Amino acid sequence: MQTRIAVIGIIVENPDSVARLNALLHEYSNYILGRMGIPHRERGLSIISIVLDAPNDIISALSGKLGMLPDVSTKTIYSKV
């Protein structure tokens, strides 16, 4: 199965969503190459970037599930190859 590299940018505006977000990331951990999280204490936000090497349907599924979490915004960028 062909895979692509993708980056999912995530902004979490409510700490109550973090537990479910982490559970979803754990479900897809086989596809995650790296993760970086930055807390923005002044604004009460968390900014997270996830790098994946996965088939398109897996990337889309994870991005969609993350975007359905309350107070969570996501944007996905795909490699061209």
Side-chain angles (χ1 to χ4, degrees):
M1 184 177 291
Q2 188 173 1
T3 63
R4 291 175 74 183
I5 301 296
V7 177
I8 302 177
I10 305 165
I11 296 178
V12 183
E13 298 180 18
N14 184 343
D16 294 339
S17 297
V18 171
R20 183 64 186 129
L21 181 139
N22 283 329
L24 279 171
L25 295 179
H26 180 73
E27 286 179 36
Y28 290 85
S29 62
N30 290 340
Y31 302 102
I32 296 175
L33 298 177
R35 171 183 177 169
M36 178 179 65
I38 302 168
H40 193 313
R41 290 178 187 88
E42 290 175 9
R43 293 191 180 225
L45 300 172
S46 295
I47 302 113
I48 303 166
S49 61
I50 306 296
V51 179
L52 302 157
D53 186 359
N56 280 341
D57 59 334
I58 297 292
I59 297 167
S60 295
L62 175 57
S63 182
K65 289 176 183 179
L66 291 170
M68 288 190 289
L69 294 174
D71 302 314
V72 174
S73 302
T74 66
K75 190 70 169 183
T76 305
I77 303 168
Y78 292 88
S79 67
K80 293 184 181 181
V81 291

